[in-house]
Structures are given as C-alpha cells and as structure tokens.
Amino acid sequence: MTKPNEMTVSEAARALRARDISVQELWDACVLASHERNQELNAFLEIFEADKAAVAAAQKRIDTEGETAPLLAGIPLAIKDNILIEGKVASAASKMLENYRATYDATVVKKLKEAGALFLGRTNMDEFAMGSSTEHSAYGTTKNPRDTRRVPGGSSGGSAAAVAAHLALAALGSDTGGSIRQPAAHTGIVGLKPTYGSVSRSGLIAMGSSLDQVGPLAKTVEDARLIYEAIAGQDPLDATTIPPGLCPARPMKKPMRIGVPRHLIGEGVDPDIRAAFSATLDALADAGHTLTDIELPMSHHALAAYYVIMPAEVSTNLARLDGIRYGLAQRGDTLLDDYLLSRTSGFGEETRRRILLGTFVLSSGYIDAYYRKADAARAVLRKEYADAFDKVDAIVFPTTPSPAFAFGEKSDPLAMYLEDIFTVTANLTGMPALSVPMGFVERDGASLPVGMHITAPHGAEDTLFSLGAEVEKERRA
Ligand code: GLN
C-alpha cells in the first residue's frame, strides 16, 4: 500500500472509509514526514501539534456518516502563512507580523474545518506574498523538493514544496499574480487560481485586493477540485464574493475549442518548454479537441499594468501596519520616527520597494500617467479575453517561461518580475486559471517539471478541471 502521506486526497478519503487507515495514522504519517524533511526544505514555518479533538471528531464522522461524510474529513492540509487560523500565528512571512496571532478564522479555514479537514502547519512564502521564488521570506528560503539547489517558485513556495514532498496531502495558497500556479508548475503539482469573487478573501492578509484569490495546491486535478468546491461560495464577510448564478452558465462542450496564442510563446520561452507544450497540444488534438490560433495583442502590456496596479494596492493595504495599531512597534522621539523605525525594520527590501512604487504611481503628479493608464489597459485586456472566449472554450500557454531557477539567479527585481509574464493576466481579468504538469525538462542533471496554464471564462472552473484532467492523463501515459 502507498504510504498514507504519499496518497492523494481522494485516495486517502477512500482508504479512510475502507478502514485501511485511521485519521490518526494519516496525521502521524504527515507529521513524521514533515519533521523529517522540514529542516532541509523549510516548507513549514511551524508544524502544529495535533488537535486531538479535531482528529477524533473527523474519525467519528467517517465512522458514523460513512460514504456521506465530507471527503476532506480527516485530511491534513498545509496553510499558507497569510491565511488566518484562529489562535495561530499568521505572519505573512514578515518580521512585521512575527507575533501576530489570528483572532478569527479566515472563511476558507472555517469552511475546511466544517468539512473536517485538519491543519498540519503554516507554510513559508514571500513576505506579504510578494515574489516568485519564496526568497523574500523573512524566515529563510524554501527549497524545491525536485532539486534542492533551486527555488520552489513563489510566493506560495512553502505550500507547493509541502505537497510535492508529500508532507501534506494538499495545501492552500494565495494568488495575486501567479503565486499558486507558478510554484505548482515549478514543483510538478496542480494549482488553481479561482474566478475572482468565487472564494472569500475574508481572513486572507491582503496584498492587492482586486487581484487576490485563495486557491488549492494539490497532487491531482481531482484533489484541486475537491478543495475548491469546499472553499468556494458567497460570503457576507467579503462583499466582492459572487452570488450564485451570477456568472453566465457555459455548457461544457466536448471536444473543446482550445485557443493557442502562439504569438506570445516565442523566444522568451525556453525551447524545451516550447517542445513540451507542443507535445501536449498534439496529444489534445489527437484526443479530438480543436486547436485555434488566437491573437491577444494587449497581453504584451499585461505585466506592466500588473506592476503598476499591484504596488498601488499593496501600498494602500500595508499602510495599516504602522507600528501603532498592531504588528512590530519601534519607538523613536517623534510619531514620525515611530513610523519610520517600525516600517523600516518590519518590512523587507522587496516589500519596501513595492510600497514606494505604489505610493509613487498614486501620487497626484503621476496617477494619470501610471495608475489610470494601467487601469485602462486592464479594461482592454479584459475585453480582449472576453472576445476571445466567444470563439474558444479555453486558452492555453506554458505557466512559466523557464523551469525552477537556482537561488540568487534572479536577484535583479525586473528579471524576477518577468517570471509572471503568463500568470498575471488571469488576475487582471478575474478569470480562473489552472496550472497542470505537462512534462519535464533537464537542467544540470536534474529533471524539472513544467506546467501548462489553462484559462477559462469567469465561473468556468469546470472547463479547467475537465481539460486539466486530460492533460494530466496524457502526460502520465
Ligand atoms: N510573483 C508575483 C508578484 O511578485 C505574484 C505574487 C502573488 O501572486 N502573490 O507580485
């Protein structure tokens, strides 16, 4: 039998129901693996003690409700350190919130608790979710379990590493410009950025509020779907959540019309990633789907628009961490000193860079030149995608231009920002997007996973799960 921690969520749910394993055994296997590997990987900032009452309650539900018990009952999950769990530290991997303890559960956590899921620990990330490598954490880097000389991607790198190394069965991450999909691609797992507003942001430490979504990192598309369904839904605590039935229903067609923006997949993408992408497209065509070339000319401006809008929202959201109300507090001679000292010692370099950029693009002399232009570009991009979805059911490209890179390789911030070239659009348009493994490439004697990125219209997560499952099957075969 597969070791319990190496199972997928669906396999573990089946094994629990068949009484091949108990909830306690599954928990113990994950905790043991986590303690064994965490020294090396630094995936977790904290591994929690067992919540004995929750373990017993999950076992009881499986025993009494049997097949009708929620599939997540008794499943140990890892939670990104920017998602609140009542009573636990939530530091967003920042010195600023080192001692901040959550006073309430994020809605996603509350929903997972109701489904009987267990929480294994909080995972490392780039500070306040800003980064593509997890190198910007105030608590050390996380290593990629596929090749420990390399980054796991970011900012949800700890969650991705925990799942890829079989420490947790699945995890939650957050995605503002790619932070679920990019680390999923770099560690060979599945990551979903849900439709904006389909999952509550209540209890997620905000980065860019018009872009942020919580979503699953999982070993399979099926597991990602299970977790998505458990956490989705309108929430009175988040006014941006979508009421049921608001997204136009799109009947799932099979075969599908798949849009391929070939003009975007040029020189900037490593040749072997392009080859893996072509091979995956061939397999989808062989399976009967129609491939259609599409043009998305505005995509060339997506990254620039993102790196104006996101820091603007970051500067606003992080203004509350001022050394007075909560978080790290340093005292100087004047109130201004208090702000300066607290914010300079509490925030890391990348966070400070983005706060400065954000206040600049919102300042009265520059808001027209930068912020308003970026916002207009965002509207055009959204229209361009909406028009494309009149002709196709899904749009595909590689998740990243290159595989996981070595530590320090992208120390130039602009080189790091280029990592997000394919992922930011889904956040700017609010559309759902999935990264699913599409093969491997060789670097320095290591075989590194690469991902296919699938975007669908608002509310069409089912399209992603259906096509994602086919890619998964093709690439495994
Ligand atoms: N890598 C992107 C950034 O640095 C995305 C971050 C995210 O999705 N949280 O902003």
Side-chain angles (χ1 to χ4, degrees):
M1 192 176 76
T2 324
K3 282 195 203 155
N5 56 304
E6 292 179 4
M7 291 178 175
T8 65
V9 174
S10 323
E11 284 166 356
R14 242 176 282 133
L16 286 167
R17 273 156 193 71
R19 297 186 202 270
D20 292 336
I21 51 168
S22 68
V23 174
Q24 186 70 52
E25 282 162 356
L26 179 59
W27 172 270
D28 288 345
C30 290
V31 168
L32 184 69
S34 299
H35 282 293
E36 268 174 16
R37 294 293 304 279
N38 205 47
Q39 195 88 327
E40 177 197 9
L41 298 176
N42 197 28
F44 286 103
L45 294 177
E46 182 184 351
I47 300 167
F48 300 145
E49 295 287 316
D51 176 344
K52 295 204 178 78
V55 170
Q59 187 65 57
K60 188 154 170 235
R61 276 182 91 166
I62 293 164
D63 293 346
T64 53
E65 294 170 34
E67 286 306 318
T68 60
L71 289 170
L72 292 178
I75 303 293
L77 302 176
I79 306 292
K80 190 175 179 179
D81 192 35
N82 59 351
I83 299 172
L84 308 193
I85 306 175
E86 189 182 343
K88 305 284 188 205
V89 168
S91 78
S94 178
K95 289 276 174 230
M96 188 54 106
L97 293 176
E98 189 166 16
N99 300 312
Y100 171 69
R101 252 175 221 282
T103 53
Y104 64 99
D105 279 332
T107 298
V108 289
V109 164
K110 192 166 150 267
K111 284 178 173 255
L112 290 175
K113 280 186 179 171
E114 281 162 9
L118 306 174
F119 304 117
L120 204 55
R122 55 188 178 93
T123 54
N124 200 13
M125 55 186 279
D126 287 295
E127 185 180 22
F128 289 105
M130 296 186 234
S132 311
S133 67
T134 313
E135 291 170 289
H136 297 313
S137 165
Y139 305 101
T141 56
T142 294
K143 299 209 163 76
N144 189 328
R146 303 273 178 179
D147 177 355
T148 52
R149 295 166 298 179
R150 291 170 187 275
V151 303
S155 64
S156 311
S159 286
V163 176
H166 300 295
L167 313 183
L169 267 55
L172 287 188
S174 69
D175 191 309
T176 306
S179 281
I180 290 176
R181 292 159 284 155
Q182 187 254 18
H186 283 346
T187 57
I189 62 171
V190 175
L192 170 74
K193 197 286 287 181
T195 303
Y196 184 77
S198 66
V199 175
S200 170
R201 289 179 296 112
S202 172
L204 168 69
I205 297 176
M207 176 180 162
S209 306
S210 77
L211 305 157
D212 297 341
Q213 275 291 284
V214 175
L217 292 111
K219 296 179 195 178
T220 62
V221 173
E222 170 65 8
D223 285 2
R225 187 181 64 78
L226 273 177
I227 294 168
Y228 166 71
E229 284 173 357
I231 60 175
Q234 196 183 7
D235 178 13
L237 297 176
D238 175 0
T240 63
T241 48
I242 310 170
L246 194 75
C247 293
R250 289 192 181 243
M252 259 248 288
K253 295 186 208 103
K254 257 196 176 169
M256 287 190 205
R257 298 162 304 166
I258 302 173
V260 190
R262 292 189 197 271
H263 66 110
L264 298 179
I265 311 157
E267 297 290 283
V269 180
D270 290 359
D272 46 4
I273 294 199
R274 274 185 273 159
F277 180 68
S278 292
T280 310
L281 288 182
D282 290 347
L284 291 173
D286 288 347
H289 300 289
T290 320
L291 304 181
T292 311
D293 282 345
I294 53 165
E295 299 275 331
L296 296 164
M298 200 59 199
S299 299
H300 292 296
H301 303 289
L303 199 62
Y306 172 78
Y307 274 94
V308 171
I309 293 170
M310 173 275 297
E313 297 188 13
V314 161
S315 71
T316 314
N317 276 323
L318 297 191
R320 74 191 68 158
L321 295 163
D322 56 6
I324 306 289
R325 282 170 281 196
Y326 61 97
L328 185 88
Q330 304 264 322
R331 294 290 168 248
D333 293 335
T334 64
L335 181 62
L336 189 61
D337 286 342
D338 291 359
Y339 290 150
L340 271 173
L341 287 170
S342 305
R343 286 169 68 82
T344 307
S345 56
F347 291 135
E349 192 187 359
E350 181 62 22
T351 303
R352 280 181 275 143
R353 179 181 296 118
R354 294 192 192 200
I355 293 172
L356 289 174
L357 268 172
T359 47
F360 175 76
V361 301
L362 290 175
S363 62
S364 62
Y366 292 98
I367 189 165
D368 286 326
Y370 293 103
Y371 182 77
R372 295 217 168 95
K373 276 217 185 96
D375 202 41
R378 182 181 195 174
V380 177
L381 195 64
R382 196 190 283 255
K383 168 95 174 49
E384 199 169 272
Y385 264 73
D387 291 348
F389 281 123
D390 285 340
K391 297 185 221 83
V392 296
D393 305 302
I395 295 174
V396 295
F397 33 77
T399 307
T400 58
S402 45
F405 44 92
F407 290 97
E409 195 179 317
K410 303 213 188 245
S411 51
D412 169 10
L414 288 181
M416 187 77 89
Y417 299 167
L418 272 173
E419 264 291 298
D420 307 327
I421 189 109
F422 291 126
T423 49
V424 296
T425 306
N427 303 78
L428 290 168
T429 63
M431 288 163 179
L434 183 82
S435 178
V436 60
M438 67 167 180
F440 290 88
V441 297
E442 296 291 321
R443 292 288 179 282
D444 299 327
S447 180
L448 302 174
V450 290
M452 174 173 265
H453 187 279
I454 314 172
T455 317
H458 293 96
E461 270 81 358
D462 278 350
T463 299
L464 299 180
F465 298 135
S466 163
L467 199 55
E470 283 193 55
V471 172
E472 190 171 56
K473 201 172 69 204
E474 293 298 341
R475 300 316 288 170
R476 209 182 282 148

